[in-house]
Amino acid sequence: QVQLVESGGGSVQAGGSLRLSCADSGYAYLGYCMGWFRQTPGKAREGVATIDTEGTIVYAESVKGRFTISQDNAKNTLSLQMNSLRPEDTAMYYCALGACTVVASRPPPSAVEYHYWGQGTQVTISS
């Protein structure tokens, strides 16, 4: 059974950094991509960053140059390093595993392409 557990959320001031981690149950190889999404109340879940099994990475335009996604297969961990945080980055952040096509220079795949989700971790950025 696939289980994804996020950690690392919290509250920081604008300009600060946070590092999110997602521990998977070891079945991540069943999927073809892993990604980070975020959601605020009343809005759709937004893809932030995605990495596939070939190492192709894509980011949402709003986080390019500030966020870095990485994967440690030996530790079954997906990470999201978030720097230069802004108040508009405030959201619940989710880790996800799915079978999706990642194309360089394209936006991250949408949420419908993911099959498994973590419970989320809250990120709050104050101005």
Side-chain angles (χ1 to χ4, degrees):
Q1 182 177 358
V2 176
Q3 288 187 321
L4 304 173
V5 180
E6 302 97 335
S7 61
S11 299
V12 297
Q13 289 189 325
S17 299
L18 283 172
R19 185 177 181 87
L20 306 183
S21 295
C22 173
D24 70 67
S25 53
Y27 289 88
Y29 69 90
L30 295 176
Y32 302 99
C33 58
M34 292 195 74
W36 288 98
F37 285 76
R38 63 187 182 187
Q39 188 172 27
T40 54
K43 292 190 176 181
R45 200 163 285 190
E46 172 193 21
V48 174
T50 301
I51 184 170
D52 69 11
T53 53
E54 296 185 356
T56 303
I57 293 173
V58 291
Y59 295 97
E61 284 294 330
S62 59
V63 306
K64 281 183 179 179
R66 300 188 299 123
F67 291 12
T68 302
I69 188 172
S70 60
Q71 190 170 28
D72 186 334
N73 291 323
K75 296 181 179 180
N76 297 328
T77 301
L78 180 75
S79 298
L80 184 69
Q81 178 66 42
M82 305 187 296
N83 299 327
S84 302
L85 285 162
R86 305 167 180 169
E88 53 263 40
D89 294 319
T90 295
M92 184 71 78
Y93 282 71
Y94 298 90
C95 167
L97 168 68
C100 52
T101 300
V102 180
V103 179
S105 78
R106 297 285 299 275
S110 67
V112 297
E113 299 194 53
Y114 289 82
H115 308 306
Y116 301 97
W117 294 86
Q119 81 288 349
T121 185
Q122 179 67 37
V123 171
T124 302
I125 312 302
S126 58
S127 58

